Each structure stands twice: as structure tokens, then as C-alpha cells.
Amino acid sequence: MQEDKKIISGFSKLGKRGKLKWIVENFFKDPEAVTKELISYWHGNAEQQDVLDGFSENTISNFPMPFGVAPNFIINGKTYCIPMVIEESSVVAAASAAAKYWMKRGGFKAEILGKTKIGQIHFEWKGDFEKLNRVFHKNKPHLLENVQHIITNMEKRGGGIKDMELIDMTDKEPNYYQLKVKFETCDSMGANFINSVLETFASLFPSLFEKEKEFSAEEKNVNVIMAILSNYTPNNIVRAYVECPIDNLGMFDKNMDAETFAYKFHKAIRIATIDPSRATTHNKGIFNGVDAVVIATGNDFRAVEACGHTYASRDGQYRSLSSCTIENGIFKFWLDLPFAVGTVGGLTKLHPIAKRSIELLGNPSAEELMMVIGVAGLAQNFAALRSLVTSGIQKGHMKMHLHNMLITLKANNEEIQKATSFFTEKAVSFNAVRDFLDSERGIASKISLSDR
Ligand code: MEV
């Protein structure tokens, strides 16, 4: 059999340059150029590069993303400039536009509706649930005693273990039970804390079951399958909202009046509530804002997304995460979003830019950060729906897209200005932009030739 050059053993043992060398030689047509390019993204400061490399494994370079800010957000009367890391054009501009719009209408409001997270120990056991429950309650102090060293600090900050409950899952899976533990983790996201507690509990199970006098020989056996936090935190949840009299909504694109806008906006939410196809895109727009702040602050966007989508399907159908009412002449628009983020621990203080993002937000508590993130999601959703029910999304998108195309085609400032005004009312496509530049450049070179 011919040797497959793309397979290697001991890759992780190679140094960074060794890894890069092997990668470029085996996967790229122009190893020298690719090496140069990837090395050009290494941090100029070796110490900072070590910090970044420490976040992951097998690193060969850094992957830059734009770090933007959306100013003018008023949340609960306080002004924020929100950091956003996102690769999609228009998102930061849309957030800023929504911030400005609502600034004139009382700003955004946000509140925490709950702050408990859960973790689970999944195990198999054969016996009577009542007996299991009795034994569990008898041994609860012993379990808690054994995690005291983990929870003391968290308790000092007002968090810790808030409740523990055995759940009989045998109607869904034979002999399957859960120990469900409720936690409060203050300003940390809590994953390490929760998992450490759960794994300690789980490690105690075999001896605890073995020693239990009430149990028969068969009941002394327990099979722990796994112990892990749940990223679904429906009781760790923020509500972000805006409201104002319909008349204050103002006039919209294409001369749409406030009442027509409110009607169409409300209908758009209704459609996303009843149709999963639309709900997916609708919620994606919310996560444009949410993820951008979650990433900028060094938090786990996969956990936040997973939680949000589960919550969106909590009644069995995937639905809009945001809601809208028009009652007694008042337009109210809100987003309830559960998720777990932190402002201490994890990357929040390790990642140099995440640390600055948190500083930019005024070193908020985790709850305050949740409010900012919820508002970013709501603002994004408002901006998307406002475009969709008025001028359509392409107008704004294409403006940014045009800029990206112009940069790709190496347009200078003068060309960018001319193209921007030329394409104000014209359809933007890569070919059209290239043709425009070709003709501009043709004109320019004719002028410079005739100047000689
Ligand atoms: C694009 O990233 C997001 C939107 O599609 C969201 C929406 O349709 O509501 C504009």
C-alpha cells in the first residue's frame, strides 16, 4: 500500500515550526508563501503568543477576526459601548443603529429572571426508587462534606449548591436515574466548578452504595454512566426589552408609518413563532448579536447557542426567542434568553482582548454581562426585522458587501467613494463592481497618459 503523506503520528510532539512545516509541505501548493503568511499572523510579542497557544493545541498560527464596538447603548439608564467580534458585515452597524434608535425612546431595559444552573449525574441502578431516595437523603450531608473544599470560596461569594434532587427516569430508560444538582456560580460561568463537584459526588457513589445497610446485595451495585453540567440553563435567564407608544416609533423607509410598521413587525414575530423555518433564521439574527459579545468577552458561544436553541424548542417546536405585543397603543418587544457566561475565570481575564472588552463594559458582574448580551441580541433582532419589513435586508447588506468587494479588488479611497455613490441605487455584484473599477481605471489611465 502506498504511504499516505497526509497521515502522521507524533504530530503533537513536534514544535510549532515543525508542525507548520509538515502542514505546508503536505497540504499546500506553495509552502514557502503559506509559511510566510501564517507566520505573519504570529503575535509580535512572544509572551502574548504563548498565552494564545496555551488556549488550544497544535496551534500553527492565529486566526484574526474583526474586533468592533457598538456605542450608544442605554441599558437600564446606563450607557454602554458594546464590544463585538464578528466576521459578518452589517451586524455591528445594525446594532449601533438600533442602539441609536432606542436611545431616543427610553433605551433598553433588562432584568435577570433566574440564576441557577444545573449539573447531572447519570447512573443505572436496580431497585425501589423510594428506598433510593431515602438513602440519598440520609447520605446528602456526607456528599456535601466531601465537596466542601471545592465550594467554600463560592459560598463566600454567595453561590454554591442550592438544591439536589434524585430523578426517576426509568419510564424512559430501564434502571436509569439522575442526581440533578442546582448551582449558583456568581460571576463565573461555572463549568469547572460544577463539573468538579459532580465528579466528586460520582466518585463517592460506589462506596456509598456498597456500604448502605438498607440495600440488598443487588442494590449495592451502581453504575455511574457520567457526571457533567447541563448547558441548558432555563433558570439562568435574562429578559431584555424595549417599549414605547406606537406613535413614538416614527416613520420608516419607503414612507411607512408607525402603525403599519408595528403591525408588520408584530406579524414577523408571529411568523417566527409558528414556523420553524423562519424561526431558525430569526433566531440566527438574534445570535448575530449575542455570539459577537460572547466571543468578545471570552465566553463559550457554543454553550450559549446550544442553550438558546434548546430553549427555543422547549414546548416541542422550534420557535422565535423574541416576542412582541401591541396593546393599548404600546409597542413592547422582548427577548428571554437563558445562558451561562462569566466575567471571572476561563478566558475572560486570560485573553488580552477579552479582558479589554470586559473593561470596556465597566467590569460588569456576570448578571450585568448577561443583560448586555441579551440587549445585543434584542437590538440585532430589532434591526433585522426593521429592515426586513421595510426596505429589505439587501440594501444594508450590499452596502457593506460592496465595501468588502472594493477592498478585495484593491480599490483606493477615491474609487471607494465613487463606487459607493454609483451603486446607491444599482444592484451590486462582483462582476458589476469589477466592471465599474475597470472603467474607472481605464479612464484614470487615459487621463494620466494624456497628462504626459
Ligand atoms: C443575517 O445574518 C440575519 C438575518 O437573516 C436575520 C433575520 O432574517 O431575521 C437578517
Side-chain angles (χ1 to χ4, degrees), residues 198 233 286 412:
L198 294 173
T233 59
I286 292 173
N412 61 31

Side-chain angles (χ1 to χ4, degrees), residues 335-355:
L335 168 68
D336 287 350
L337 196 63
F339 58 92
V341 288
T343 53
V344 297
L347 283 203
T348 54
K349 293 273 155 62
L350 285 178
H351 192 288
I353 309 290
K355 198 163 70 182

Side-chain angles (χ1 to χ4, degrees), residues 88 278 281-282 284-285 288 381 384-385 388 393 397:
E88 184 177 331
R278 174 57 203 150
T281 320
H282 177 96
K284 187 271 183 188
N288 276 345
N381 192 212
L385 294 186
L388 287 171
I393 209 78
H397 261 199

Side-chain angles (χ1 to χ4, degrees), residues 149-449:
H149 62 291
I150 308 174
I151 61 180
T152 302
N153 272 342
M154 193 62 89
E155 282 180 341
K156 278 190 198 143
R157 291 192 265 142
I161 296 173
K162 295 297 162 184
D163 198 14
M164 285 159 82
E165 190 188 359
L166 267 187
I167 317 259
D168 183 352
M169 301 289 289
T170 52
D171 60 331
K172 297 199 171 65
E173 182 70 17
N175 312 319
Y176 168 41
Y177 298 90
Q178 286 180 3
L179 175 61
K180 186 171 160 187
V181 188
K182 291 189 184 158
F183 298 89
E184 266 182 47
T185 63
C186 307
D187 287 337
S188 64
M189 187 251 191
N192 280 333
F193 171 74
I194 294 175
N195 289 334
S196 299
V197 169
L198 294 173
E199 288 194 359
T200 307
F201 282 166
S203 71
L204 296 168
F205 272 30
S207 66
L208 202 145
F209 279 65
E210 172 70 40
K211 280 193 216 133
E212 179 51 52
K213 293 201 178 66
E214 265 198 69
F215 283 164
S216 66
E218 192 185 30
E219 287 167 344
K220 286 183 189 296
N221 292 314
V222 61
N223 186 20
V224 173
I225 305 292
M226 58 189 163
I228 183 79
L229 91 171
S230 169
N231 285 122
Y232 185 44
T233 59
N235 295 313
N236 199 75
I237 179 163
V238 64
R239 170 170 293 176
Y241 63 98
V242 284
E243 62 184 321
C244 75
I246 291 181
D247 293 344
N248 289 3
L249 288 170
M251 288 295 285
F252 294 85
D253 247 31
K254 307 224 154 96
N255 281 337
M256 188 184 286
D257 65 25
E259 207 157 319
T260 311
F261 170 78
Y263 176 83
K264 288 184 81 173
F265 191 98
H266 180 264
K267 217 24 118 187
I269 302 255
R270 177 82 193 121
I271 292 165
T273 304
I274 58 175
D275 173 31
S277 295
R278 174 57 203 150
T280 308
T281 320
H282 177 96
N283 290 344
K284 187 271 183 188
I286 292 173
F287 281 105
N288 276 345
V290 168
D291 286 356
V293 190
V294 172
I295 295 172
T297 54
N299 277 289
D300 181 343
F301 63 95
R302 287 87 58 212
V304 172
E305 284 261 357
C307 183
H309 297 303
T310 308
Y311 191 69
S313 341
R314 63 195 180 282
D315 72 359
Q317 185 186 312
Y318 190 85
R319 298 183 191 281
S320 165
L321 284 162
S322 59
S323 312
C324 176
T325 53
I326 300 174
E327 279 165 13
N328 306 321
I330 303 290
F331 172 86
K332 184 165 181 180
F333 172 47
W334 73 97
L335 168 68
D336 287 350
L337 196 63
F339 58 92
V341 288
T343 53
V344 297
L347 283 203
T348 54
K349 293 273 155 62
L350 285 178
H351 192 288
I353 309 290
K355 198 163 70 182
R356 293 299 182 198
S357 293
I358 288 179
E359 195 180 338
L360 175 65
L361 290 170
N363 296 313
S365 64
E367 288 180 22
E368 190 179 349
L369 178 59
M370 280 181 74
M371 295 194 230
V372 171
I373 291 169
V375 164
L378 185 78
Q380 213 60 53
N381 192 212
F382 179 80
L385 294 186
R386 179 168 74 171
S387 296
L388 287 171
V389 303
T390 57
S391 58
I393 209 78
Q394 283 309 83
K395 196 173 158 197
H397 261 199
M398 278 307 169
K399 219 165 111 193
M400 301 296 282
H401 201 41
L402 170 64
H403 189 79
N404 286 345
M405 288 180 199
L406 289 164
I407 297 294
T408 309
L409 292 165
K410 303 202 172 358
N412 61 31
N413 281 345
E414 193 187 335
E415 288 169 338
I416 290 176
Q417 267 178 16
K418 281 187 180 163
T420 308
S421 77
F422 179 81
F423 283 102
T424 314
E425 294 300 332
K426 291 192 180 59
V428 177
S429 71
F430 196 80
N431 283 346
V433 177
R434 197 181 36 210
D435 289 349
F436 174 82
L437 284 180
D438 282 350
S439 95
E440 274 300 307
R441 286 165 183 172
I443 292 167
S445 65
K446 269 182 211 143
I447 292 170
S448 60
L449 277 175

Side-chain angles (χ1 to χ4, degrees), residues 83-151:
M84 301 179 90
V85 170
I86 186 147
E87 85 298 349
E88 184 177 331
S89 55
S90 303
V91 169
V92 177
S96 306
K100 220 164 163 185
Y101 178 90
W102 282 105
M103 186 170 67
K104 296 179 197 136
R105 292 164 178 83
F108 293 87
K109 308 273 185 324
E111 57 186 310
I112 299 295
L113 303 180
K115 47 182 191 171
T116 52
K117 300 161 188 172
I118 68 157
Q120 300 158 306
I121 298 177
H122 306 269
F123 65 97
E124 285 180 325
W125 182 75
K126 276 189 196 149
D128 168 40
F129 181 64
E130 289 308 313
K131 196 196 269 188
L132 180 67
N133 216 4
R134 206 166 47 240
V135 167
F136 163 67
H137 281 284
K138 192 169 72 187
N139 284 284
K140 213 165 135 181
H142 173 65
L143 288 173
L144 289 173
E145 219 171 87
N146 277 278
V147 292
Q148 200 52 51
H149 62 291
I150 308 174
I151 61 180

